[in-house]
Amino acid sequence: MNLYQKNIYNYFYQKFEIISSSVLRDKIARKIVFLNEKYTHNIYLNYIEVPITTCCTLRCKDCANLIQYYDKPYIINEKKIIKDIIKLAAGVKKINMLRILGGEPLIHTELFKILNDISQIKNINKIQIVTNGTLLLNEKSLEIIRKNKKISVFISNYGSVSEKYNVLINQLKQNSIKYETDKNIMWWVPQTEFYHHNRSRKEMEQIFQICDIGCISLLDGKLHLCPRSSHGMELGLIRENPEEYVDIRNAKTKKKIYKGIYKLFHVKTISACDICNSFNSKNLPKIKPAQQISKENAKKQFLRIKSGII
């Protein structure tokens, strides 16, 4: 399956989770993929990440989204974020899960406005805020989440660095807010080998095909197929290539957004496949999660990567 087909399949496979038989769910999802491609050509986004800031309360040495390398992290204007998501939703049939990320999203003082507006978009099924357990939700955000059942919170537990983890859980419980947590992350896959491997086109296509991460990323108005692509281009670690993202913010019509996404979801590979080993995560060594790095050392590491010297 290509990425377009995978999103449709995953969307409907989850939609029919009430069916206990995985074999039957698989048959139904595959049939819908076939019918959609033959007749309707709708776009379904099963999962998408929307970073609302590159500011973070942590500086993890092995952050998969490369947040540690931002020398001047920024907060994205809430009006732009809301408008971007509205335009994106208008260009597709359904979005199953939209996750609000950072950096650390609770840093954004206008988070409540973002949640209030995007929760009213009818073809978004679920919204989830992903936090690292270092901050609490403010009262304005709590109020919005309390009254909208399609919003939930996911808390990553990085042990001692997630210093507000237990307090945050109590806050969510007291406000009857749905939440998920990984309880205690024991290991990460190392993400520091971020350099050009000079892989062949065929190798990159094979990597793209087997990669099951599926983290479509809408960063500052641009829709990328993964956070390595979005943050990599933003940081200048990957050469800017308009063929590898859709400029949602500057698209004039929902038809252009649809066509752009449809085309993007049929590419065979992207530049990020030359610099990423995440597809091979099962065979990579495991490391302690959320190890912190100083700003100075992160900058040195960034410059080594950018110069191609590892």
Side-chain angles (χ1 to χ4, degrees):
M1 289 187 184
N2 58 37
L3 189 60
Y4 172 73
Q5 295 166 329
K6 285 179 181 177
N7 268 272
I8 300 169
Y9 175 87
N10 291 332
Y11 180 94
F12 285 100
Y13 187 85
Q14 292 185 42
K15 183 178 177 65
F16 293 106
E17 61 184 357
I18 192 172
I19 299 173
S20 59
S21 170
S22 60
V23 175
L24 181 56
R25 287 165 68 189
D26 174 75
K27 285 183 179 180
I28 292 171
R30 289 182 182 277
K31 184 66 174 179
I32 293 173
V33 169
F34 170 77
L35 294 173
N36 187 80
E37 283 218 291
K38 188 172 183 179
Y39 298 110
T40 59
H41 308 289
N42 289 322
I43 294 173
Y44 291 84
L45 294 180
N46 182 58
Y47 175 90
I48 181 169
E49 298 178 345
V50 183
I52 62 174
T53 178
T54 59
C55 299
C56 195
T57 51
L58 301 177
R59 187 178 287 111
C60 299
K61 180 171 70 72
D62 299 288
C63 177
N65 287 4
L66 313 177
I67 298 299
Q68 71 275 36
Y69 297 136
Y70 280 93
D71 187 45
K72 296 180 179 179
Y74 56 88
I75 293 174
I76 304 171
N77 178 273
E78 74 281 358
K79 291 180 181 178
K80 290 181 178 179
I81 293 168
I82 294 164
K83 189 174 181 180
D84 292 340
I85 295 173
I86 289 172
K87 289 179 71 175
L88 171 66
V92 303
K93 183 69 174 179
K94 287 281 188 178
I95 298 173
N96 185 39
M97 169 65 81
L98 187 147
R99 288 185 114 191
I100 302 293
L101 305 183
E104 171 49 55
L106 302 195
I107 287 175
H108 203 304
T109 57
E110 306 303 315
L111 174 61
F112 73 99
K113 289 184 180 177
I114 298 169
L115 294 173
N116 181 66
D117 285 18
I118 69 172
S119 65
Q120 297 175 48
I121 302 174
K122 293 182 178 180
N123 63 335
I124 297 178
N125 296 340
K126 294 178 283 188
I127 298 165
Q128 191 169 69
I129 308 154
V130 182
T131 178
N132 61 24
T134 60
L135 297 174
L136 300 179
L137 286 154
N138 61 36
E139 187 54 44
K140 289 181 178 179
S141 293
L142 285 171
E143 183 181 354
I144 298 299
I145 303 171
R146 275 197 303 263
K147 68 183 182 182
N148 198 307
K149 297 304 179 183
K150 74 178 178 181
I151 305 175
S152 65
V153 177
F154 185 94
I155 316 166
S156 297
N157 184 6
Y158 299 135
S160 59
V161 296
S162 298
E163 56 186 15
K164 296 285 180 67
Y165 177 77
N166 291 321
V167 183
L168 177 57
I169 286 180
N170 287 334
Q171 183 188 47
L172 297 173
K173 285 181 177 178
Q174 289 170 8
N175 286 276
S176 300
I177 289 172
K178 292 182 295 184
Y179 74 90
E180 296 177 60
T181 178
D182 43 36
K183 305 222 172 188
N184 190 12
I185 301 175
M186 301 304 294
W187 53 266
W188 272 359
V189 173
Q191 303 285 355
T192 50
E193 291 189 1
F194 190 86
Y195 63 95
H196 289 271
H197 293 78
N198 295 315
R199 291 165 174 149
S200 68
R201 175 78 182 184
K202 185 177 180 180
E203 287 175 316
M204 289 170 63
E205 287 180 3
Q206 289 173 339
I207 288 169
F208 186 80
Q209 182 63 32
I210 65 175
C211 181
D212 60 359
I213 295 175
C215 299
I216 297 166
S217 174
L218 178 62
L219 175 62
D220 205 13
K222 294 177 180 177
L223 185 75
H224 288 254
L225 296 184
C226 77
R228 284 301 184 92
S229 176
S230 58
H231 289 289
M233 284 191 197
E234 181 76 357
L235 288 161
L237 296 174
I238 300 175
R239 185 172 60 187
E240 180 81 11
N241 185 352
E243 295 295 313
E244 295 185 0
Y245 64 82
V246 179
D247 190 347
I248 301 293
R249 187 171 297 169
N250 293 308
K252 301 298 182 185
T253 65
K254 65 180 182 181
K255 187 175 181 179
K256 285 190 175 181
I257 292 171
Y258 168 85
K259 286 184 174 181
I261 297 173
Y262 188 87
K263 180 181 177 182
L264 184 65
F265 279 16
H266 282 82
V267 300
K268 294 186 176 180
T269 190
I270 55 175
S271 301
C273 292
D274 184 46
I275 55 176
C276 182
N277 285 327
S278 295
F279 72 95
N280 193 33
S281 61
K282 292 179 181 178
N283 299 317
L284 294 175
K286 307 300 185 290
I287 57 173
K288 184 179 177 181
Q291 296 180 80
Q292 297 299 289
I293 187 173
S294 68
K295 186 174 182 178
E296 180 183 352
N297 285 338
K299 189 170 184 178
K300 288 179 181 178
Q301 189 168 283
F302 172 81
L303 293 173
R304 285 199 300 271
I305 295 168
K306 197 162 187 179
S307 67
I309 301 171
I310 302 297

